[in-house]
């Protein structure tokens, strides 16, 4: 793990520390809700401000996380979902969490339902690459419907090829973590990995299988017997789960469809498709910090295989990156900070997981990792989020290179966990800014040092930082000219 030369005490501006000390967590949450409500009301009053910009993104746009997740993808998805006809999830499961806001500033935490659900004109698609926990999905649907959101088979469609996640997968997840002892991955224990393992070992159960409850029962009993043979402490009532799924079947049946045919037909007819990535590239099963990764492919390849959309149909691929970095769970994290600076940034940025509530680890922006993600995904634009959180810091650090354990300096991201744990970061230090930028809506309104920070990131990545997040509200975004 890298050491940061600049001490936390030296970095934190006195004004910033006193502001944080004066406000309790509940006070900050109330302030945030008021800010969001005001911002979303303003957004509703001027919905066409960036219409030309959003139209320029083409007929198929993917929004993908470029770091370790929690970058704030849901916000841009929420904005663009108002402009697209289809909003699709392609991989992951309820381990992903996207926070979005409606036009009155009300907050929704979504895990399986695509963020386009607040756009009444959008069709939301859960693709074949997602693992679906039906009880969890129904809970989300019930919460949304109680809030007045209309959800029927015309608005939410689930792939008949998507694999199902059962309570037995959650049980297995916990047993697997216990077996790992001191080498725990730090999973959400929501059964995502075991569900994908069932898919890979070809004894998984797909959503379409629920149409025939007789064969469905045989498959679930077989799956349970396999788990019982593997784990001595496995406790699971398969018959109770089967009874529950008889009721679930009636409710989910109208939503099941061949989404490969649907999404390609809609695209062919001229409909616009927005893909909502879950998790992020640095958690990718193939490209991330293995084994401290998720169980799917959140990179562009996983989008294609998780929806059945051909690569040549993608016109825009937007990488979402925080202006700093965060990570939840175990695993190497080269730019990680600790001490008071990390605590202050965590509180200022409300850095707690949407899915788990776990406090996120905090670090400086890592250009080595960001360029690696950009290479894999072919980002056409970057959405730099939470710039406002950095206000008040006199200096900011950007990791531009790694020094390996043998002294080699590199800009390549190592595949070896052992190597990553030994790297130290080569930093560039840039001036910070004191001004509160949460009210800025135009590029020229940003402080000079803030603009310089953005331009430095563009210089180091070779990708335009087109969209800049300056607050939690839907309209709290600056489109760089």
């Amino acid at each position: 793990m890298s050491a940061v030369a600049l001490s936390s005490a030296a970095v934190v501006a006195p004004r910033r520390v006193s502001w944080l000390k004066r406000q309790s967590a509940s006070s900050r949450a109330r302030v945030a809700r008021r800010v969001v409500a005001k911002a979303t009301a303003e957004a509703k009053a001027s919905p066409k401000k960036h219409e030309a910009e959003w139209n320029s993104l083409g007929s198929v746009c993917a929004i993908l996380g470029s770091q370790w997740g929690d970058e704030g993808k849901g916000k841009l998805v929420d904005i663009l979902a108002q402009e697209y006809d289809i909003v699709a999830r392609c991989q992951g499961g309820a381990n992903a969490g996207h926070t979005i806001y409606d036009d009155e500033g009300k907050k929704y935490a979504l895990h399986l339902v695509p963020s386009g659900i607040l756009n009444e004109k959008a069709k939301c698609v859960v693709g074949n690459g997602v693992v679906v926990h039906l009880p969890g999905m129904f809970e989300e649907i019930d919460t949304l419907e109680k809030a007045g959101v209309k959800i029927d088979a015309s608005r939410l469609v689930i792939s008949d090829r998507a694999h199902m996640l059962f309570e037995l997968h959650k049980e297995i997840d916990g047993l697997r973590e216990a077996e790992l002892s001191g080498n725990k991955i730090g999973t959400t224990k929501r059964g995502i990995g075991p569900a994908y393992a069932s898919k890979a070992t070809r004894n998984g159960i797909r959503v379409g299988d629920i149409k025939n409850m007789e064969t469905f029962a045989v498959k679930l009993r077989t799956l349970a017997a396999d788990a019982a043979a593997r784990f001595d402490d496995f406790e699971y009532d398969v018959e109770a789960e089967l009874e529950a799924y008889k009721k679930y079947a009636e409710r989910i049946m109208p939503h099941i469809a061949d989404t490969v045919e649907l999404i390609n037909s809609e695209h062919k007819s001229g409909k616009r498709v927005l893909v909502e990535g879950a998790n992020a590239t640095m958690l990718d099963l193939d490209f991330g910090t293995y084994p401290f990764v998720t169980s799917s492919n959140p990179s562009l390849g996983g989008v294609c295989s998780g929806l059945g959309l051909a690569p040549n149909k993608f016109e825009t691929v937007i990488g979402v990156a925080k202006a700093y970095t965060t990570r939840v769970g175990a695993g190497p994290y080269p730019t990680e900070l600790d001490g008071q600076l990390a605590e202050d940034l965590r509180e200022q940025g409300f850095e707690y997981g949407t899915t788990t509530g776990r406090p996120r680890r905090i670090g400086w922006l890592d250009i080595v990792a960001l360029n690696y993600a950009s290479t894999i995904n072919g980002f056409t634009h970057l959405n730099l989020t939470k710039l406002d959180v950095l206000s008040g810091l006199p200096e900011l650090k950007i990791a531009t290179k790694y020094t390996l354990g043998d002294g080699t300096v590199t800009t390549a991201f190592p595949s070896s966990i052992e190597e990553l744990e030994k790297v130290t970061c080569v930093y560039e230090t840039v001036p910070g800014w004191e001004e509160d930028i949460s009210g800025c809506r135009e590029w020229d309104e940003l402080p000079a040092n803030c603009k310089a920070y953005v331009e430095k990131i563009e210089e180091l990545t070779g990708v335009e930082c087109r969209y800049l997040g300056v607050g939690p509200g839907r309209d709290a975004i600056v489109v760089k000219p």
Side-chain angles (χ1 to χ4, degrees):
M1 202 62 65
S2 63
V4 179
L6 197 61
S7 72
S8 298
V11 174
V12 181
R15 180 181 63 80
R16 179 189 184 88
V17 172
S18 61
W19 185 87
L20 285 167
K21 284 182 176 178
R22 284 200 306 269
Q23 295 206 37
S24 67
S26 60
S27 296
R28 288 193 295 275
R30 285 194 296 271
V31 169
R33 285 195 292 271
R34 288 197 296 271
V35 169
V36 170
K38 180 176 182 292
T40 48
E42 291 170 356
K44 187 177 181 181
S46 55
K48 302 298 182 183
K49 180 179 179 182
H50 298 304
E51 184 177 19
E53 175 68 27
W54 308 142
N55 287 339
S56 73
L57 297 179
S59 62
V60 181
C61 171
I63 299 177
L64 306 178
S66 66
Q67 295 163 328
W68 285 273
D70 306 309
E71 299 93 349
K73 298 178 287 294
K75 177 179 173 178
L76 187 59
V77 170
D78 184 28
I79 292 170
L80 293 182
Q82 312 308 308
E83 311 294 329
Y84 278 77
D85 305 298
I86 310 288
V87 182
R89 276 280 307 272
C90 57
Q91 46 71 226
N95 58 336
H98 290 172
T99 302
I100 61 175
Y101 299 85
D102 65 16
D103 290 329
E104 281 69 49
K106 185 172 182 179
K107 177 180 174 180
Y108 299 86
L110 304 178
H111 303 279
L112 279 168
V113 176
S115 297
I117 202 67
L118 296 187
N119 174 8
E120 293 181 359
K121 298 178 181 178
K123 185 187 293 290
C124 293
V125 174
V126 177
N128 58 274
V130 179
V131 289
V132 180
H133 181 241
L134 285 184
M137 175 167 278
F138 290 147
E139 283 181 21
E140 283 187 46
I141 292 172
D142 290 343
T143 300
L144 288 161
E145 288 184 331
K146 285 178 184 176
V149 180
K150 177 188 174 184
I151 303 177
D152 56 27
S154 70
R155 298 225 44 229
L156 179 63
V157 182
I158 302 168
S159 174
D160 54 2
R161 294 177 171 89
H163 278 250
M164 301 179 78
L165 187 155
F166 299 97
E167 295 305 313
L168 70 84
H169 290 120
K170 295 183 180 183
E171 177 72 11
I172 292 169
D173 211 354
L175 292 170
R176 282 283 297 133
E177 278 284 276
E179 279 186 345
L180 291 170
S181 186
N183 297 310
K184 291 182 179 181
I185 303 299
T187 78
T188 59
K189 296 185 181 178
R190 290 180 176 243
I192 309 298
Y196 276 113
S198 293
K199 178 179 180 177
T201 53
R202 297 180 297 282
N203 65 353
I205 302 173
R206 303 200 293 183
V207 170
D209 292 332
I210 207 167
K211 294 177 181 179
N212 185 330
M213 285 305 298
E214 186 176 335
T215 57
F216 178 89
V218 172
K219 291 179 179 181
L220 187 56
R221 290 188 183 108
T222 302
L223 195 60
D226 183 69
R230 167 66 179 80
F231 297 99
D232 292 336
D233 297 328
F234 180 71
E235 295 181 5
Y236 171 67
D237 189 339
V238 65
E239 298 306 322
E241 183 111 280
L242 280 170
E243 284 301 311
Y245 270 79
K246 288 176 183 177
K247 296 178 182 177
Y248 299 154
E250 295 176 12
R251 186 173 181 185
I252 201 64
M253 206 79 77
H255 296 273
I256 301 173
D258 179 350
T259 57
V260 177
E261 172 65 23
L262 183 150
I263 206 165
N264 281 283
S265 296
E266 295 277 35
H267 175 259
K268 190 175 182 179
S269 71
K271 297 291 178 66
R272 303 181 76 202
V273 180
L274 178 68
V275 181
E276 174 182 1
N279 314 120
T281 301
M282 301 312 298
L283 295 175
D284 189 281
L285 184 60
D286 288 287
F287 301 117
T289 51
Y290 189 89
F292 300 97
V293 292
T294 192
S295 305
S296 61
N297 294 105
S299 52
L300 189 59
V303 175
C304 297
S305 63
L307 287 174
L309 267 177
N312 62 357
K313 292 178 179 174
F314 289 84
E315 296 176 56
T316 307
V317 182
I318 301 174
V320 184
K322 276 179 182 161
Y324 49 101
T325 58
T326 62
R327 178 169 193 165
V328 171
Y333 185 14
T335 66
E336 184 168 16
L337 290 163
D338 55 20
Q340 191 60 50
L341 176 57
E343 289 295 329
D344 288 345
L345 287 173
R346 184 177 296 113
E347 291 302 311
Q348 180 77 351
F350 300 99
E351 296 295 357
Y352 298 89
T354 303
T355 298
T356 63
R358 289 183 292 181
R360 296 169 185 153
R361 298 157 67 188
I362 307 290
W364 294 118
L365 184 63
D366 188 334
I367 292 294
V368 178
L370 185 53
N371 281 340
Y372 174 65
S374 184
T375 298
I376 291 164
N377 294 293
F379 294 143
T380 57
H381 311 68
L382 287 176
N383 170 207
L384 197 64
T385 65
K386 293 201 168 184
L387 265 174
D388 56 303
V389 175
L390 297 180
S391 292
L393 298 181
E395 292 183 341
L396 305 172
K397 286 183 173 289
I398 305 172
T400 58
K401 299 174 184 177
Y402 293 163
T403 301
L404 304 180
D406 64 1
T408 302
V409 177
T410 183
T411 57
F413 193 84
S415 64
S416 164
I417 292 299
E418 290 75 17
E419 271 193 321
L420 270 173
E421 287 174 340
K422 294 175 184 176
V423 304
T424 55
C425 294
V426 178
Y427 288 101
E428 283 195 31
T429 302
V430 297
W433 59 91
E434 284 288 325
E435 298 89 337
D436 176 5
I437 64 171
S438 61
C440 297
R441 296 297 179 266
E442 303 292 339
W443 173 251
D444 290 339
E445 295 173 0
L446 294 171
N449 284 352
C450 180
K451 291 193 283 188
Y453 183 64
V454 173
E455 289 167 344
K456 170 59 72 172
I457 295 168
E458 291 181 327
E459 174 192 326
L460 292 168
T461 61
V463 182
E464 181 184 16
C465 294
R466 183 73 172 173
Y467 312 114
L468 310 174
V470 293
R474 184 184 286 172
D475 91 318
I477 190 168
V478 172
V479 177
K480 188 173 178 288

